[in-house]
Amino acid sequence: MGMRIWLAMVVALLVAAPAMAQSPQQVRRQAEASMVVTGHVDIAADGTLSGYVLDGRDDLPGYVVELVDRAAAGWRFEPVEVDGVPVVARAKMSLRMLARPLEDGGYEVSIGSGSFGDYSDTATDHVTHRQMSPPYYPHTMAGRGIQGTVYLLLKVGRDGRVEDVVAERVNLRSYASVREMERWRRAFTASSISKAREWEFNPPTTGDQVDDDYWVVRIPVEYGMSGQVASGPRWQQYVPGPELDPPAWLRAVPGAPRSDAQVAGRIEMVGRERRLLTPLQG
């Protein structure tokens, strides 16, 4: 299926979304489609990219693969050091692809944000989950099929309990008036924060951050209807939310980039990301 036809189907769904309280012109200006693609990068000792892998490359649209290939050719990372010695490293990669409609009926496809994390569910030098029961789906939202993702930032204490939690941003996959979408964001935020306060984690037991007073992790919480949450990369409706001012305990963490490319449910330890020194897309 050609790019214009494929994306036009997504935008058509946006215009036909329920509870639409804006003019077609306003929806047109907002209408975006997005997908998250994953893989990993191999970083040489000098920070250059020695190789990278896209998960499910053969199943992705060709124009997406070509765009990422071109962008990756220019990537350079901050060298990774162990005891002051540069080493080779591998990091998981998540990229949020965006498609914006143009006046001529075409689409501008770009890489909106990226995440290059160094994390594992079994790592001892990283915060890992102990108990993370899912939040409830607000009934009024579920009944109307309203979907979205809340990007939580959690301050984890030395006992593994959550000392504080904030919503960094809330992206939606449904359109309505600005006031209605803000109400949806508040409902998703309240639900996710309430449950996240009960979560428990395993603090690091090794590594250079083992003696920190606390750790900050980012965890996206996804609200989606059964059968409608993407099982793999595909274009979806995308209404990015505003980024909120970070709390003081996040500002104290050096090198804390913001990104909405992280895969939902995955724990990312803020400050442990592999820092990209060059533009994500040249």
Side-chain angles (χ1 to χ4, degrees), residues 155-177:
K155 180 183 180 184
V156 178
R158 292 193 58 81
D159 60 357
R161 297 184 182 275
V162 176
E163 295 183 353
D164 198 5
V165 55
V166 297
E168 185 177 31
R169 67 190 296 171
V170 183
N171 292 344
L172 298 174
R173 294 195 298 278
S174 306
Y175 278 88
S177 67

Side-chain angles (χ1 to χ4, degrees), residues 43-100:
I43 304 170
D46 63 357
T48 57
L49 188 73
S50 60
Y52 91 100
V53 170
L54 269 178
D55 296 334
R57 170 183 281 262
D58 293 341
D59 297 325
L60 293 171
Y63 54 87
V64 169
V65 173
E66 292 173 6
L67 176 60
V68 177
D69 282 346
R70 290 197 304 271
W75 289 347
R76 185 184 180 90
F77 293 82
E78 182 175 68
V80 179
E81 296 185 353
V82 175
D83 297 328
V85 179
V87 297
V88 298
R90 171 171 290 184
K92 294 182 180 180
M93 172 185 71
S94 297
L95 302 174
R96 179 170 291 281
M97 312 300 298
L98 299 179
R100 297 183 176 92

Side-chain angles (χ1 to χ4, degrees), residues 142-163:
R144 298 174 61 186
I146 308 303
Q147 303 181 73
T149 304
V150 181
Y151 291 82
L152 294 178
L153 290 168
L154 296 89
K155 180 183 180 184
V156 178
R158 292 193 58 81
D159 60 357
R161 297 184 182 275
V162 176
E163 295 183 353

Side-chain angles (χ1 to χ4, degrees), residues 181-208:
M181 288 191 293
E182 178 56 32
R183 188 176 69 82
W184 295 345
R185 289 190 173 98
R186 288 198 302 268
F188 283 147
T189 296
S191 171
S192 58
I193 286 181
S194 176
K195 181 56 66 174
R197 292 188 184 280
E198 303 173 3
W199 291 347
E200 297 178 8
F201 299 87
N202 300 309
T205 57
T206 62
D208 56 4

